[in-house]
Amino acid sequence: MQEVLRRKEKLSIYLAKSSSSSDEKLIKLENAKNPVALQIKEGSATLYVKLDVPSKVPEWSQLLTANQDIPDGLFGKKSSVGAALIVRVHGRVFLLSFGTGYHLLRGDGIERDFGLRVTLNSVDPDKLRSLDKASYDSNPLNSRTQSTKDADVYELHIDSEMDLLYAVTGTSTISLFGETITGRDALTITPEMVLDDLPEILEQALRKYEAKLPLQFDWVDNINKVKNDETIAILELELDDNLSNPSRPSTIWIGEPEIVDWEGHAGYSFEKNKRSGRHPVLKLSHLKDYLSEHNLELTVNALKNIDVHVNDADYHSIKSWSAYRCIYAEISVGEERYILRNGIWYFINQDFVAKIDAYLADVKIYEHSLPTYFHDCESDYNIDASASDSSIELMDKKNIPIGGPYDKVEFCDLIKDRTDLIHVKYYRSSSTLSHLFAQGCVASEAFISDVDFRSRLNKRLPKKMMLSNPISRPDPQDYRIVFAIATDKNLPKDLPFFSKVTLKNSLKTLRALAFQVEIAKIDINSDLYLRKKFKPN
């Protein structure tokens, strides 16, 4: 047998959820040529090549053809050809994609945290180059931070309480994996190897996947992936119930499950057909309309069987996800809290819940009662609240230019007794509360630190409340920030979990500035629920 020289090969390695999965459960066989069995040192390996008609043999095919009985023309001669390799070894099933071979994989059959967890256990935590993250908030933000030199995880700006980490690139500490390692769904490495080295590489990857995360990354497990099939089935039943109940607030929405290249992006469709309707942004209402046109109901099963296509300027599909992967949801089952992101259910670690609840345990409840809420909009409530109490001044809609990303902000909605800065919000969903807490932080910080802001603010303050000298820095201890929420919930105990996290972070910021911070519950007139389009959850 001819000796094969080792060379650096880029490997994208996935782990199948089940060790008993058949090839047809993992590979789109209808898009592949007949399988070819490869000889490998340990275990078994089956190669599937895409049906594309090629014009140039890709270089990576050398790894798979050396000393193998491969049919002539299997790879053709097109550099964009793709292949997928199924390797059964060490009691598990691994999939490797080459070129465009990832299109052959059935995404619902793979472990979506495999590459990430292997990487977190194999990367030098002080030598990271890139990370992708998504916030847990009701308006999740997908973002990527990159560094031109080695950095640690916090230099790459991640909030361990508010961000879900889903991809990391950095320097590998495992020589078998090569110099650089990237983890997302797949583990991407560039080792110097031949095909017979693959079982050893996969064994090491499996060990790292099953290992406990190191201390630097243990916060990743604040949110744990749900792996129990029965629990997932219960969560999907709950999701079905929420999808069919239009009276519930917006705890379910649709969005891109990962970062999208907007330069080559011309919209979304639910079919590959060039005549299919295109949408510039993803909205759940668009998906509902599509299902209605096809006499289908909005269910978990329908979501899993419909694709969302990213279209280029010529209306070609350049990327696609199942609609299920695009669904964002927050679901409670009893006392347990779960979130759905990128087709994966996560369980919020009870220790994390307890930590947040403990921080909020000493939040003071505002001692003054505020008028009952029976209004159709917050601005009407604020007007009536100020009219009913001579100690309350109206500040709602008196926006103050601030510059930068915030442009202009409301200082607060109401001021009571010259010192209590009250921010009012009728609770509909966690997104409304996030806005409330963010407004309180931004406005209060500007009040203390920005002379120009205070000067502009002073012109909008009631005469009896104007600052005698806006240039002089106010003493934050003389002021009280009050978050007033119209709700029938107990505060802060019954707030949605991620609203609690947002409140906790706002408290941390405001307390660091030396403000007093309190929370107020505004009672709601029972007749209001009959008029409101959305009812609190």
Side-chain angles (χ1 to χ4, degrees), residues 387-403:
S388 66
D389 188 336
S390 60
S391 68
I392 296 178
E393 296 288 342
L394 180 66
M395 290 296 292
D396 186 24
K397 298 188 182 302
K398 296 181 180 181
N399 293 339
I400 314 297
I402 189 174

Side-chain angles (χ1 to χ4, degrees), residues 171-218:
T171 300
S172 171
T173 60
I174 308 298
S175 58
L176 195 62
F177 292 163
E179 297 177 1
T180 302
I181 185 169
T182 296
R184 187 188 291 266
D185 294 349
L187 169 67
T188 303
I189 54 178
T190 312
E192 193 171 281
M193 61 169 297
V194 295
L195 192 60
D196 276 340
D197 295 327
L198 198 52
E200 183 181 0
I201 292 171
L202 298 179
E203 182 180 26
Q204 181 69 272
L206 187 60
R207 280 203 205 108
K208 292 298 181 182
Y209 175 65
E210 294 173 343
K212 184 179 179 181
L213 293 180
L215 184 62
Q216 297 92 333
F217 299 115
D218 64 351

Side-chain angles (χ1 to χ4, degrees), residues 63-79:
L63 173 69
L64 305 171
T65 57
N67 291 330
Q68 300 289 337
D69 184 15
I70 297 294
D72 291 339
L74 178 65
F75 293 102
K77 297 182 178 179
K78 185 177 180 182
S79 58

Side-chain angles (χ1 to χ4, degrees), residues 186-360:
L187 169 67
T188 303
I189 54 178
T190 312
E192 193 171 281
M193 61 169 297
V194 295
L195 192 60
D196 276 340
D197 295 327
L198 198 52
E200 183 181 0
I201 292 171
L202 298 179
E203 182 180 26
Q204 181 69 272
L206 187 60
R207 280 203 205 108
K208 292 298 181 182
Y209 175 65
E210 294 173 343
K212 184 179 179 181
L213 293 180
L215 184 62
Q216 297 92 333
F217 299 115
D218 64 351
W219 52 268
V220 172
D221 281 336
N222 283 341
I223 307 293
N224 293 310
K225 190 176 80 165
V226 178
K227 295 189 176 183
N228 184 281
D229 290 339
E230 291 183 4
T231 302
I232 292 173
I234 292 171
L235 292 171
E236 290 185 342
L237 288 173
E238 286 288 326
L239 181 57
D240 268 337
D241 188 47
N242 277 256
L243 289 168
S244 63
N245 191 340
S247 66
R248 296 199 178 188
S250 53
T251 56
I252 302 171
W253 61 100
I254 191 170
E256 301 84 353
E258 57 191 7
I259 293 172
V260 171
D261 179 8
W262 290 93
E263 290 183 3
H265 172 287
Y268 300 95
S269 66
F270 301 113
E271 293 179 348
K272 276 188 174 182
N273 187 334
K274 291 188 70 171
R275 294 187 178 182
S276 179
R278 261 68 184 180
H279 306 282
V281 295
L282 278 179
K283 290 186 177 180
L284 195 57
S285 60
H286 296 157
L287 179 57
K288 288 179 178 178
D289 290 343
Y290 173 83
L291 290 168
S292 179
E293 290 169 7
H294 291 77
N295 298 315
L296 296 171
E297 294 183 1
L298 181 60
T299 64
V300 169
N301 188 55
L303 292 169
K304 289 182 176 180
N305 287 286
I306 291 174
D307 288 335
V308 175
H309 296 275
V310 181
N311 300 155
D312 63 15
D314 295 321
Y315 301 108
H316 295 133
S317 175
I318 55 176
K319 181 189 282 285
S320 67
W321 315 282
S322 71
Y324 186 70
R325 282 189 63 188
C326 298
I327 291 293
Y328 290 74
E330 295 182 18
I331 301 291
S332 293
V333 179
E335 295 296 317
E336 310 294 350
R337 297 174 178 87
Y338 300 86
I339 61 173
L340 178 64
R341 299 287 189 276
N342 197 7
I344 304 172
W345 286 101
Y346 294 92
F347 167 68
I348 304 172
N349 188 298
Q350 288 301 304
D351 290 339
F352 185 33
V353 174
K355 177 183 174 183
I356 300 300
D357 285 343
Y359 189 92
L360 298 180

Side-chain angles (χ1 to χ4, degrees), residues 135-141 162 250 253 330 341 378 406 423-443 483-485 495-507 510 519:
S135 63
Y136 296 133
D137 203 0
S138 54
N139 183 25
L141 301 178
M162 291 298 293
S250 53
W253 61 100
E330 295 182 18
R341 299 287 189 276
E378 288 154 14
Y406 298 103
H423 300 266
V424 175
K425 190 64 67 177
Y426 177 90
Y427 168 61
R428 291 178 177 83
S429 66
S430 56
S431 61
T432 60
L433 299 185
S434 295
H435 177 79
L436 174 72
F437 302 142
Q439 174 183 294
C441 278
V442 173
F483 293 119
I485 303 170
L495 289 176
F497 178 71
F498 288 111
S499 294
K500 289 184 180 181
V501 176
T502 308
L503 174 59
K504 182 252 183 186
N505 289 338
S506 298
L507 286 171
L510 292 169
I519 193 167

